Amino acid sequence: MNAAAFLRRLAGRPWLWAYVAAIAVWIVTILFTGGRGAGEVLTAAFTFATFSVIVGIGQMYVVTLGPGNVDLSIPATITLAGAVATKVMDTQDGMILAGLAVALACGVGVGIVNYALIWLLRIPPIIATLSSSFLIQSTAIAYGRGIRIKPPPMLADFTTAQVFGMPVLAICIIALAAVMELVLRRTLYGRWVTAIGQNIRAARLAGIDVGRTRFAAYVMSAVFAGLCGYLLSGFSGGSSLSMGEEYLLTSIALVVIGGSSVAGGNSNVPGLWGAALFLFLVVTMLNTYGFGAGTRYLATGLIIIAVIVAASARRPAR
Amino acid sequence: MNGASLARNLRMLLPAISLVVLLVAIYALQPRAISYVGFNLMLNLAIPIALATIAQMCVITVNDLDLSIGTYVGFVACVGATMLTGGVAALPFVKDLQASGALPAVLPWIMQTPLAGVLVLAFGIVIYAALGALIHWRNLPSIVVTLGMSFVWLGLSVLILPVPGGQAPAWIRQMMTLKPAFIPFPIIAAIVIAVIAHVLLMRTSYGAVLRGAGGNPRAIERAGWSLLRVKAAMFALAGFFGMLAGLSLVGLTTSGDANIALRYTLLSIAGVILGGGEFVGGRISPVGAVMGAATLTLAGSMLSFMRISPDWQIGAQGAILIVVLAARTLIDRAERSR
Amino acid sequence: MPVGEPIIRLEEVRKSFGAVRALQGVDLACHEGECIGLVGHNGAGKSTLMNLLAGVFGAEGRMSIDGIEPAGPYTIATAKANGIRCVFQELSLCPNLTVAENARVMHRALSGFGWRRRAGRLIVEKLDQVFPDHGIDAGDIVGDLPIARRQMVEIARAFTVTDAPARLVILDEPTSSLDAHLASQLLAYVRRFVAEGGCVVLISHLLGEILAAADRVIVMKDGRVVAERPAAEFTRTSLVAAMGSVAHEEAKSRDVSAARREGSPRIRARARSGGNELIAHRGEIVGLAGLGGQGQSEMLIRIFDAARRHAQGITVEGGSALVAGDRQTDGVFPLWSIAENITITSLKRLRSGILIDREKTDAMAEDWRARIGIRTPDVHNPILSLSGGNQQKALFARALGSTAETVLMDDPMRGVDIGTKQEVYGMIRSEAERGRTFLWYTTEMDELKHCDHVYVFRDHRIVADLSRGELTEERVLHASFEDVA
C-alpha cells in the first residue's frame, strides 16, 4: 500500500486519532507510575467516560444536522431528570423502572419544548435551547432543593458494578453506542440526518421530511440527557444541582475530538468513546504528573482548539 | 412611515418596553425600591453584565458567538484582584515561593508594579483579536473555538488564583462605590456604557463597515475592505469590553474567583437578544443591549419582591427571553401578512 | 463612434469555469461618451464579462486601461482606482445599514467628523439627479426599503464620486425591479452621464431600453460577440434574430403522431400571480421556457411540494422527483459517495428489515451507472470526484431511479458537456415513452425541441403556450422579451 492511499484511509476514519491519542496518553501516564495502577486508570476512565458518551451521542446527532444546530439544554435536562427520578424512586428498589421511565419522559418533554421553540419562534437552535435551559434549570433547582435522597440500592449497585475490572455500565453504553452507530449508518433515519447536515435544501428536494427528522434528533438528545441524569444520580449517591454542569462543554468537545464534522453531515459514534477516554486520561495524566486543576483546564481547551484547527485543514474549502 | 420601518421601530422599542414594564411591576410590589438606595442595590451587578453583553454583541455583529466570555470575565477579575493590585508579587504561587525561601522576602520593584497586570490584560485583548483573525482565516466555527477558549481562560484563572481571594485595586473599588448626587451610580454607568458603545459602533465611519460585515460580507469585501481586519477588530472590541466587565465585577466583589462569572456567557447572549439584536445579519442595538442586561438583572429583584424563591431567578430570565422572542415573531408575522 | 484611447479595452479574452467556456475570445472597447448595450440569452457570457471588468476575477487575454496594460494583476482595487464601477444583479448593499452608511462603505474618503452628513448629502444629491422625487431618506435602513428603492440606492451609489472618478459604470439588469417611470428616469440620466463624457455598459433583457439608450449594441451568444453595430441599425426584430442561433439545426423529431393530450392530466398548476395554466399528461415532456429567473424554478418547487401535501392551485397525481440544476446548492450531498447520492430517494425499497441493505443499494447504483453512463471506476468514490456532467448524471439517476411518476427538471443541463447532454436526452425520451411525465425548465432553445409542449414564463407567470408544432425560436424569444398580446 502506498503512502497516499494509507493517508486517505486514515482521513476516512478520523475517529482513529482519538483512540491513538487516548492510548498514547495512557502509556505516558503509566510510564510515570512504572506500570502500577495501569488497570485501575483504565477502569476509572471507562467509568467516567460512560456518562459523557451518553450525552455525546445525542449531541452528535444534533450537530450532524448542520451548522447552528447544537443542544445547550443538556446540563439542565440531566439535572432535572436526576432530581425527578430520585424523588420518584424514593430509595425503593421496586421503583427503579418507574424512575427510568420518568427520567426518559423528562427528556421527551424537554425535546418537544426545544423543537417547539425552534419551529414556532423560528429562532436559531442555540437560542431556543439556551432559553429553555434557563427554565429547566430553574425547575430542577426548585424541585430538587431540600433533602438529598439516596438512589435505590439496586440502582447504585448496578451503576458501580464491575466485571473483570470493566464497569458493567460501560459495557451497556458500548452496546448502546454500537446500536446508535448502526442507526446512523444503516437506517433511513441516519441517512436523513446526515443528508440534512450536508445540504438541507438538497435534502428537502430529495424528498426528505426535514422537520420531522430534526424534531426526532432534538428529542433524542434530550432523552439521552435524561438517561444520563438517571444513571448519574444512581452512580453518585443521589442527584445534585450541579451534576449536569460539566456536560455541556464535554458533550460538544466529544463530538469535535471524536472526528465528527462541526459543520454537520459527517459524524461517527466510535469517536465519541475515543474522545471521552482521551479527555479523562489527559486529566489523569496531568494529575499523575502533579499538575493542578488550572493546567488541566488549559490543556483541555488547547486540545479542543488544536483539533478544530487541524480538522479545518482536512475539510475541503467551500 | 412604511410598514417595514414601523415593525422595526416596534421591535426596537421592545427592550425599552420590557424594562419599563418590569420597573412598573417592581414599583407596584415595593414602591420603596424605586429610590436612590434601591437602584444602587438592584442595579449594581447590572454594570458588569451590561459590559459583558456589549462584548458579546460585538461578536454577534459579525455573525459569531462567544461562549468564553464568562470565563474570560472571571480571568480578568482574577488578574484584577492580584496582579493589578500588587504586580507579580501578589500572585499566590509567588507568595508560596517566598514562604519556602525560593524567592527573597522583599521583591524588586519590577515584580511589585501593577504594570504586570496591565500587560496581562492587554495580552487578553490581543488573544481575542487573534482568535477573530483565526476564525476568519480558517473559516472555523466560533462556537467550538470559543468553547475551547473558555477552558483556557478558566485554566489561566485557576493558575493565577487557585482559591478565591486577592484584593481589587483601591481605585476600582472606590469607583464602583461612588455615590454621586441625585442619580445612582449604576444608572450613570449604564448610560455611559450605552453611549460609548453606541458612538463606537453606530456613529463612527469604521463602525458602519464593521456592522456591514455582518449584514453582507461580500459587499464589504467587494468595496475593498479586509474582512480579516474587521473580524479581528470586532473580537478585540469584545475583549476590551469583557475586560471592563471583569474589572467592574472585581470592584464590586473586591476579591477574585475563577468561577465568579460562569453564568455571564449565557446572560450576555440573552442580553443581546433581549436588547433587540439579531443572531445574524449585523443588526444590533448597543442601547438595547444595555437595557436587556438591566432587565435580566432586575428580574431577580422582582422575584424577591414577589417572595418567590431565588431558585426561579434564571427561570424568570429564560421566560422573559422566550416572551420577548415570541413578541418579536408575532410582530414580524403581522408585518409579513399585511 | 468615438475616437481616442478607450477607457478599457479587452482583446481575445477567454474564461472557463471547469468544463464551461464562459468567454471564448471576446473583444471589447469602452470609449468615453458612449453607452454600450449588451444583450444575449442566458449563459451568453454577459455576467462573466462584467465580473471581469469589475476585477472580481482574472482571465486569459489582453487588457489595457487608457491604452496602457496594467503592470500588476487587474483587481477590484485597480478597477476602483480607474473609475470602473459595477452594479451587480444581486444587491451588494448591506441591508442592516442606512442609505448613508452604505455610501460610506464604498468610499474610504467619507470618514472623520461629520461623515454621516457628507455621506448622506452625497447619496441623496445623486439620487435627486438620477431619480427626482425618489422619496428616500439618507437615514433609511436599506433592509426596510422596498426592492425598487434598494435598487435605486445601489444605482445612485455607483455614480457617486469622492476621491476616485466614475468613468465607466456597468449596469446589469438595472431596471429589473423598477417601474416604467423610474426606468425612463434612469435611462435619461444615463444619456446625461454619457453626454458629460462618461461611459455606460447597459445589460438588459428589455430590448426597448437598449435601443433607446445605447449608442452601440453588442450581441453575445455562447461566450462570443456575434453582432456589434450602432443601435440605430437594429430593430427589435433584428436584435432578436441576432440573439438566436444562426444555423437552425433540427432536433431529432419525436413521434408526433403518438397520442398526446388526452385523458385527465397528471398535473395542473397555475402561478401565484395568475397567467395561463400549466397542464401535463402521462408520458409527456413539457418545457418551461423563458429567460432565467422568471418563476420557472418556483413553479417546479411548488409542484414538487404539492405532490407531498395539499397546495392551493396545484393538483398533482402520483409522486414527484426533482433534478436540480444548481447542483452544489440544490442537489449534491458533497460528503457522500456516488452510490449514496443516487440511492437516497429510493432507500425505502432497498432495505432488509429496517436496515439498509448494502447489496441492494450497490446493485441499484451499479445498474444506473451502467444505464446512464456515469464515468467512474467505482460507485463508492466520492461524488465530488466526478466531473460536473457526471455529477448531473448521478442526480438524474437519483430521480429516474425513484418510483416517482413525474420528474421535475430545474434547468439540469447547466454546464454539462454536449456528449452527456445527448445521452441524457435519449434517456428522458425512453422514460417518457414508458409513461413518465417530465417538466423541463430550460433556457436552451435546443432543449425545448425535445418537448411536446412549451410554456413560456415572464414575470412569474405563463405568457405563452406553444404546442410542438407552433414552437419556433423566434416565438419563444418574442414571448420572453416582450408582451405577445
Side-chain angles (χ1 to χ4, degrees), chain C residues 166-214:
Chain C
R167 297 170 65 205
L168 167 61
V169 179
I170 304 157
L171 302 170
D172 189 1
E173 297 289 353
T175 57
S176 59
S177 316
L178 303 182
D179 61 28
H181 176 63
L182 291 168
S184 69
Q185 284 183 337
L186 171 63
L187 297 184
Y189 180 77
V190 165
R191 290 313 311 170
R192 269 180 281 150
F193 180 74
V194 168
E196 286 162 17
C199 176
V200 170
V201 174
L202 180 63
I203 303 174
S204 176
H205 70 270
L206 298 173
L207 303 183
E209 268 177 14
I210 295 282
L211 293 171

Side-chain angles (χ1 to χ4, degrees), chain C residues 227-477:
Chain C
E228 179 174 0
R229 265 177 276 163
E233 291 177 22
F234 276 113
T235 63
R236 186 172 296 159
T237 319
S238 64
L239 209 47
V240 169
M243 275 188 281
S245 48
V246 188
H248 285 269
E249 46 172 301
E250 279 303 304
K252 285 162 214 103
S253 66
R254 288 188 63 194
D255 185 6
V256 191
S257 62
R260 299 278 162 225
R261 305 253 151 196
E262 61 184 29
S264 64
R266 190 174 262 168
I267 296 171
R268 289 171 159 275
R270 200 183 287 279
R272 280 214 185 83
S273 48
N276 298 351
E277 191 173 41
L278 180 150
I279 293 173
H281 294 77
R282 187 173 187 282
E284 261 182 347
I285 304 176
V286 173
L288 280 61
L291 294 168
Q294 299 295 310
Q296 299 96 330
S297 300
E298 286 88 335
M299 174 69 98
L300 289 181
I301 287 176
R302 282 178 65 215
I303 294 172
F304 178 80
D305 287 340
R308 278 154 187 80
R309 60 175 69 112
H310 175 76
Q312 212 181 349
I314 298 182
T315 50
V316 182
E317 267 171 41
S320 69
L322 188 134
V323 184
D326 192 342
R327 285 186 294 280
Q328 300 319 325
T329 61
D330 293 353
V332 162
F333 297 107
L335 303 173
W336 270 353
S337 71
I338 301 161
E340 284 167 315
N341 265 287
I342 290 177
T343 53
I344 177 69
T345 313
S346 310
L347 286 177
K348 267 190 190 132
R349 288 185 286 120
L350 307 173
R351 290 181 297 181
S352 316
I354 60 161
L355 293 184
I356 294 165
D357 189 329
R358 191 157 296 163
E359 274 175 26
K360 289 184 187 168
T361 56
D362 283 359
M364 174 184 169
E366 206 42 66
D367 175 35
W368 279 96
R369 181 181 77 105
R371 274 170 76 181
I372 208 164
I374 298 171
R375 287 182 193 90
T376 178
D378 185 353
V379 287
H380 297 107
N381 283 346
I383 184 87
L384 294 185
S385 69
L386 295 179
S387 69
N390 279 296
Q391 287 181 29
Q392 197 64 49
K393 283 186 189 170
L395 295 188
F396 267 105
R398 183 195 293 170
L400 297 177
S402 76
T403 52
E405 281 96 344
T406 306
V407 176
L408 309 163
M409 303 191 287
D410 184 7
D411 203 2
M413 302 295 184
R414 260 179 262 174
V416 173
D417 62 280
I418 187 74
T420 305
K421 281 181 184 175
Q422 293 302 341
E423 290 170 21
V424 174
Y425 296 154
M427 199 88 207
I428 291 170
R429 227 172 288 141
S430 63
E431 285 287 324
E433 267 146 29
R434 278 186 223 157
R436 269 206 163 128
T437 305
F438 287 84
L439 290 195
W440 189 353
Y441 162 40
T442 171
T443 49
E444 288 186 36
M445 196 58 220
D446 290 345
E447 295 187 345
L448 291 176
K449 291 174 186 156
H450 296 274
C451 298
D452 301 302
H453 203 91
V454 171
Y455 293 97
V456 183
F457 280 66
R458 182 157 44 81
D459 284 341
H460 295 261
R461 55 172 74 195
I462 295 171
V463 293
D465 182 342
L466 306 170
S467 70
R468 186 173 172 72
E470 301 167 315
L471 182 71
T472 63
E473 177 163 21
E474 211 168 4
R475 277 192 162 152
V476 173
L477 280 174

Side-chain angles (χ1 to χ4, degrees), chain B residues 8 202-203 211 224-225 282, chain C residues 101 105 108 115-116 144:
Chain B
R8 180 170 54 86
M202 311 299 283
R203 304 295 298 186
R211 281 179 294 128
W225 300 96
Chain C
E101 285 167 344
V105 164
R108 273 170 194 270
W115 67 272
R116 270 167 179 278
D144 293 342

Side-chain angles (χ1 to χ4, degrees), chain B residues 41 47 81 93 117 128 138 158 217 237 250 260 285 317 328:
Chain B
L41 286 173
I47 301 174
F93 78 86
Y128 253 86
R138 301 304 294 262
V158 172
L237 267 182
V250 79
I260 196 167
S285 161
Q317 288 164 343
R328 232 199 263 178

Side-chain angles (χ1 to χ4, degrees), chain B residues 97-238:
Chain B
L97 287 177
Q98 278 178 296
S100 68
L103 282 172
V106 180
L107 293 166
W109 72 269
I110 190 83
M111 292 185 75
Q112 299 196 31
T113 169
L115 199 64
V118 176
L119 287 178
V120 170
L121 293 180
F123 168 76
I125 296 176
V126 171
I127 294 281
Y128 253 86
L131 278 182
L134 180 73
I135 285 171
H136 175 75
W137 177 48
R138 301 304 294 262
N139 192 18
L140 301 178
S142 58
I143 299 178
V144 178
V145 175
T146 56
L147 174 75
M149 279 313 291
S150 75
F151 281 91
V152 170
W153 295 125
L154 187 63
L156 290 174
S157 313
V158 172
L159 287 178
I160 291 172
L161 205 59
V163 289
Q167 180 144 45
W171 58 274
I172 298 182
R173 274 181 287 145
Q174 279 156 13
M175 205 176 105
M176 295 308 292
T177 48
L178 279 180
K179 295 262 187 309
F182 307 119
I183 306 174
F185 177 69
I187 295 182
I188 296 179
I191 292 173
V192 170
I193 295 165
V195 167
I196 290 178
H198 183 81
V199 167
L200 220 53
L201 288 171
M202 311 299 283
R203 304 295 298 186
T204 64
S205 60
Y206 193 55
V209 177
L210 292 176
R211 281 179 294 128
N216 189 346
R218 270 189 70 193
I220 295 292
E221 211 163 24
R222 267 185 193 163
W225 300 96
S226 154
L227 283 180
L228 185 81
R229 220 171 285 169
V230 166
K231 271 261 162 92
M234 271 319 217
F235 272 76
L237 267 182

